[in-house]
Short mmCIF file of all heavy atoms in Angstrom, two decimals:
data_model
loop_
_atom_site.label_atom_id
_atom_site.label_comp_id
_atom_site.label_asym_id
_atom_site.label_seq_id
_atom_site.Cartn_x
_atom_site.Cartn_y
_atom_site.Cartn_z
N PRO A 1 0.78 -1.24 0.00
CA PRO A 1 0.00 0.00 0.00
C PRO A 1 0.81 1.29 0.00
O PRO A 1 0.31 2.32 -0.42
CB PRO A 1 -0.84 -0.10 1.29
CG PRO A 1 -0.85 -1.54 1.64
CD PRO A 1 0.48 -2.06 1.20
N THR A 2 2.05 1.26 0.51
CA THR A 2 2.87 2.48 0.54
C THR A 2 4.14 2.28 -0.28
O THR A 2 4.83 1.27 -0.14
CB THR A 2 3.26 2.84 1.99
OG1 THR A 2 2.11 3.35 2.66
CG2 THR A 2 4.34 3.91 2.02
N TYR A 3 4.40 3.24 -1.15
CA TYR A 3 5.64 3.19 -1.92
C TYR A 3 6.18 4.60 -2.07
O TYR A 3 5.49 5.59 -1.78
CB TYR A 3 5.40 2.53 -3.28
CG TYR A 3 4.92 3.46 -4.38
CD1 TYR A 3 5.74 3.79 -5.45
CD2 TYR A 3 3.63 4.01 -4.36
CE1 TYR A 3 5.30 4.63 -6.47
CE2 TYR A 3 3.19 4.84 -5.37
CZ TYR A 3 4.02 5.15 -6.42
OH TYR A 3 3.59 5.98 -7.43
N GLY A 4 7.43 4.71 -2.53
CA GLY A 4 8.04 6.02 -2.66
C GLY A 4 8.92 6.13 -3.89
O GLY A 4 9.45 5.13 -4.39
N ILE A 5 9.06 7.34 -4.37
CA ILE A 5 9.87 7.66 -5.55
C ILE A 5 10.85 8.77 -5.17
O ILE A 5 10.47 9.76 -4.54
CB ILE A 5 8.97 8.13 -6.72
CG1 ILE A 5 8.09 6.99 -7.22
CG2 ILE A 5 9.82 8.70 -7.85
CD1 ILE A 5 8.85 5.82 -7.81
N TYR A 6 12.10 8.59 -5.56
CA TYR A 6 13.11 9.63 -5.39
C TYR A 6 13.13 10.49 -6.64
O TYR A 6 13.21 9.97 -7.76
CB TYR A 6 14.47 8.99 -5.13
CG TYR A 6 15.67 9.89 -5.27
CD1 TYR A 6 15.69 11.18 -4.72
CD2 TYR A 6 16.81 9.47 -5.96
CE1 TYR A 6 16.78 12.01 -4.85
CE2 TYR A 6 17.93 10.28 -6.10
CZ TYR A 6 17.90 11.56 -5.55
OH TYR A 6 18.99 12.38 -5.68
N THR A 7 13.04 11.79 -6.47
CA THR A 7 12.97 12.70 -7.60
C THR A 7 14.10 12.43 -8.60
O THR A 7 15.23 12.10 -8.21
CB THR A 7 13.03 14.16 -7.11
OG1 THR A 7 12.82 15.02 -8.21
CG2 THR A 7 14.35 14.48 -6.45
N GLY A 8 13.80 12.58 -9.84
CA GLY A 8 14.72 12.21 -10.91
C GLY A 8 14.40 10.85 -11.49
O GLY A 8 14.89 10.50 -12.57
N TYR A 9 13.57 10.10 -10.78
CA TYR A 9 13.13 8.79 -11.29
C TYR A 9 12.42 8.97 -12.63
O TYR A 9 12.56 8.13 -13.53
CB TYR A 9 12.19 8.15 -10.28
CG TYR A 9 11.93 6.68 -10.50
CD1 TYR A 9 12.71 5.72 -9.86
CD2 TYR A 9 10.89 6.24 -11.32
CE1 TYR A 9 12.47 4.37 -10.04
CE2 TYR A 9 10.65 4.89 -11.51
CZ TYR A 9 11.44 3.96 -10.86
OH TYR A 9 11.20 2.61 -11.05
N GLU A 10 11.70 10.09 -12.77
CA GLU A 10 10.99 10.33 -14.03
C GLU A 10 11.93 10.36 -15.22
O GLU A 10 11.54 10.04 -16.35
CB GLU A 10 10.24 11.66 -13.96
CG GLU A 10 9.25 11.78 -12.84
CD GLU A 10 9.82 12.45 -11.61
OE1 GLU A 10 10.96 12.11 -11.21
OE2 GLU A 10 9.14 13.32 -11.05
N HIS A 11 13.17 10.74 -14.99
CA HIS A 11 14.15 10.86 -16.06
C HIS A 11 15.04 9.62 -16.18
O HIS A 11 16.04 9.64 -16.90
CB HIS A 11 15.03 12.10 -15.84
CG HIS A 11 14.27 13.38 -15.90
ND1 HIS A 11 14.78 14.58 -15.42
CD2 HIS A 11 13.03 13.67 -16.38
CE1 HIS A 11 13.88 15.54 -15.60
NE2 HIS A 11 12.82 15.01 -16.18
N CYS A 12 14.69 8.58 -15.46
CA CYS A 12 15.46 7.32 -15.50
C CYS A 12 16.94 7.57 -15.18
O CYS A 12 17.84 7.06 -15.87
CB CYS A 12 15.33 6.63 -16.86
SG CYS A 12 13.65 6.21 -17.32
N GLU A 13 17.20 8.33 -14.13
CA GLU A 13 18.59 8.56 -13.73
C GLU A 13 19.19 7.24 -13.26
O GLU A 13 18.82 6.72 -12.22
CB GLU A 13 18.64 9.62 -12.62
CG GLU A 13 18.18 10.99 -13.09
CD GLU A 13 18.20 12.05 -11.99
OE1 GLU A 13 18.58 11.71 -10.85
OE2 GLU A 13 17.84 13.21 -12.27
N HIS A 14 20.14 6.72 -14.02
CA HIS A 14 20.59 5.34 -13.82
C HIS A 14 22.10 5.17 -13.78
O HIS A 14 22.59 4.05 -13.64
CB HIS A 14 20.04 4.46 -14.94
CG HIS A 14 20.62 4.79 -16.29
ND1 HIS A 14 20.21 5.86 -17.04
CD2 HIS A 14 21.60 4.18 -17.00
CE1 HIS A 14 20.90 5.89 -18.17
NE2 HIS A 14 21.76 4.89 -18.17
N VAL A 15 22.85 6.25 -13.89
CA VAL A 15 24.31 6.13 -13.96
C VAL A 15 24.87 6.10 -12.54
O VAL A 15 24.60 7.00 -11.73
CB VAL A 15 24.94 7.29 -14.75
CG1 VAL A 15 26.46 7.13 -14.80
CG2 VAL A 15 24.35 7.34 -16.16
N ALA A 16 25.64 5.07 -12.25
CA ALA A 16 26.17 4.89 -10.90
C ALA A 16 27.60 5.38 -10.79
O ALA A 16 28.34 5.44 -11.78
CB ALA A 16 26.12 3.41 -10.52
N ARG A 17 27.96 5.74 -9.57
CA ARG A 17 29.37 6.02 -9.30
C ARG A 17 30.14 4.72 -9.45
O ARG A 17 29.71 3.68 -8.94
CB ARG A 17 29.52 6.59 -7.89
CG ARG A 17 30.94 6.96 -7.49
CD ARG A 17 30.94 7.84 -6.25
NE ARG A 17 30.31 7.21 -5.11
CZ ARG A 17 30.93 6.38 -4.27
NH1 ARG A 17 32.22 6.09 -4.44
NH2 ARG A 17 30.29 5.87 -3.24
N PRO A 18 31.25 4.71 -10.15
CA PRO A 18 31.97 3.46 -10.39
C PRO A 18 32.23 2.69 -9.11
O PRO A 18 32.71 3.24 -8.11
CB PRO A 18 33.28 3.93 -11.04
CG PRO A 18 32.91 5.21 -11.72
CD PRO A 18 31.89 5.86 -10.82
N GLY A 19 31.86 1.40 -9.12
CA GLY A 19 32.10 0.53 -7.99
C GLY A 19 31.10 0.66 -6.87
O GLY A 19 31.30 0.07 -5.80
N ALA A 20 30.03 1.42 -7.07
CA ALA A 20 29.06 1.64 -6.00
C ALA A 20 27.64 1.45 -6.53
O ALA A 20 27.39 1.62 -7.73
CB ALA A 20 29.21 3.04 -5.40
N GLU A 21 26.73 1.12 -5.64
CA GLU A 21 25.32 1.03 -6.00
C GLU A 21 24.62 2.32 -5.59
O GLU A 21 23.64 2.33 -4.86
CB GLU A 21 24.65 -0.18 -5.31
CG GLU A 21 25.06 -1.51 -5.89
CD GLU A 21 24.20 -2.65 -5.37
OE1 GLU A 21 23.15 -2.40 -4.74
OE2 GLU A 21 24.57 -3.81 -5.59
N GLU A 22 25.16 3.43 -6.06
CA GLU A 22 24.53 4.72 -5.80
C GLU A 22 24.80 5.65 -6.98
O GLU A 22 25.69 5.41 -7.79
CB GLU A 22 25.01 5.34 -4.50
CG GLU A 22 26.47 5.69 -4.47
CD GLU A 22 26.89 6.31 -3.14
OE1 GLU A 22 26.48 5.79 -2.07
OE2 GLU A 22 27.63 7.32 -3.17
N HIS A 23 24.03 6.71 -7.07
CA HIS A 23 24.10 7.61 -8.21
C HIS A 23 25.46 8.29 -8.30
O HIS A 23 26.05 8.68 -7.28
CB HIS A 23 23.03 8.69 -8.11
CG HIS A 23 21.63 8.14 -8.13
ND1 HIS A 23 20.92 7.96 -9.29
CD2 HIS A 23 20.81 7.75 -7.12
CE1 HIS A 23 19.72 7.47 -9.00
NE2 HIS A 23 19.63 7.34 -7.69
N VAL A 24 25.95 8.44 -9.51
CA VAL A 24 27.11 9.28 -9.73
C VAL A 24 26.67 10.73 -9.57
O VAL A 24 25.50 11.06 -9.75
CB VAL A 24 27.73 9.03 -11.12
CG1 VAL A 24 26.85 9.60 -12.24
CG2 VAL A 24 29.15 9.56 -11.21
N ASP A 25 27.62 11.60 -9.20
CA ASP A 25 27.28 13.00 -8.94
C ASP A 25 26.10 13.08 -7.98
O ASP A 25 25.10 13.77 -8.21
CB ASP A 25 26.96 13.73 -10.25
CG ASP A 25 28.13 13.69 -11.23
OD1 ASP A 25 29.28 13.65 -10.77
OD2 ASP A 25 27.88 13.67 -12.45
N ASN A 26 26.25 12.36 -6.89
CA ASN A 26 25.14 12.17 -5.95
C ASN A 26 24.65 13.50 -5.41
O ASN A 26 25.43 14.37 -5.01
CB ASN A 26 25.61 11.27 -4.79
CG ASN A 26 24.47 10.73 -3.97
OD1 ASN A 26 23.68 11.48 -3.44
ND2 ASN A 26 24.40 9.42 -3.87
N GLU A 27 23.33 13.63 -5.39
CA GLU A 27 22.69 14.85 -4.94
C GLU A 27 22.96 15.15 -3.47
O GLU A 27 22.77 16.29 -3.02
CB GLU A 27 21.19 14.77 -5.21
CG GLU A 27 20.45 16.08 -5.13
CD GLU A 27 19.02 15.96 -5.62
OE1 GLU A 27 18.60 14.84 -5.99
OE2 GLU A 27 18.33 16.99 -5.62
N LYS A 28 23.41 14.16 -2.72
CA LYS A 28 23.76 14.42 -1.32
C LYS A 28 24.92 15.40 -1.21
O LYS A 28 25.11 16.04 -0.16
CB LYS A 28 24.15 13.12 -0.61
CG LYS A 28 22.99 12.24 -0.23
CD LYS A 28 23.35 11.26 0.86
CE LYS A 28 24.50 10.37 0.49
NZ LYS A 28 24.79 9.37 1.55
N TYR A 29 25.73 15.51 -2.27
CA TYR A 29 26.95 16.30 -2.18
C TYR A 29 27.01 17.47 -3.17
O TYR A 29 28.00 18.19 -3.21
CB TYR A 29 28.16 15.40 -2.42
CG TYR A 29 28.15 14.17 -1.55
CD1 TYR A 29 27.84 12.92 -2.08
CD2 TYR A 29 28.41 14.26 -0.18
CE1 TYR A 29 27.80 11.79 -1.27
CE2 TYR A 29 28.38 13.14 0.63
CZ TYR A 29 28.07 11.91 0.08
OH TYR A 29 28.03 10.79 0.88
N GLU A 30 25.95 17.67 -3.95
CA GLU A 30 25.96 18.77 -4.91
C GLU A 30 24.53 19.14 -5.30
O GLU A 30 23.58 18.43 -4.99
CB GLU A 30 26.77 18.40 -6.15
CG GLU A 30 26.22 17.20 -6.90
CD GLU A 30 27.10 16.85 -8.10
OE1 GLU A 30 26.87 17.44 -9.18
OE2 GLU A 30 27.99 16.00 -7.94
N PHE A 31 24.41 20.24 -5.96
CA PHE A 31 23.11 20.67 -6.47
C PHE A 31 22.80 19.94 -7.77
O PHE A 31 23.70 19.51 -8.49
CB PHE A 31 23.11 22.18 -6.76
CG PHE A 31 23.34 23.05 -5.56
CD1 PHE A 31 24.58 23.64 -5.33
CD2 PHE A 31 22.32 23.29 -4.65
CE1 PHE A 31 24.80 24.45 -4.23
CE2 PHE A 31 22.52 24.11 -3.55
CZ PHE A 31 23.76 24.69 -3.34
N LYS A 32 21.50 19.84 -8.08
CA LYS A 32 21.08 19.32 -9.37
C LYS A 32 19.97 20.21 -9.91
O LYS A 32 19.05 20.57 -9.17
CB LYS A 32 20.57 17.89 -9.27
CG LYS A 32 21.64 16.82 -9.29
CD LYS A 32 21.03 15.43 -9.38
CE LYS A 32 22.10 14.35 -9.38
NZ LYS A 32 22.94 14.38 -10.56
#
């Protein structure tokens, strides 16, 4: 019944930081 979407999902943001299962240019550390 409950689900969530992280913004940018609409654009299929799929590029990972090499060697990690997280976004490259991660929004935690910069503006987008």
Side-chain angles (χ1 to χ4, degrees):
T2 287
Y3 86 110
I5 293 297
Y6 165 45
T7 186
Y9 195 92
E10 302 95 315
H11 296 164
C12 301
E13 295 179 0
H14 67 282
V15 180
R17 182 165 59 85
E21 288 191 12
E22 64 180 45
H23 298 271
V24 72
D25 301 329
N26 195 303
E27 195 171 1
K28 283 200 302 183
Y29 308 106
E30 61 182 273
F31 298 103
K32 277 188 181 293

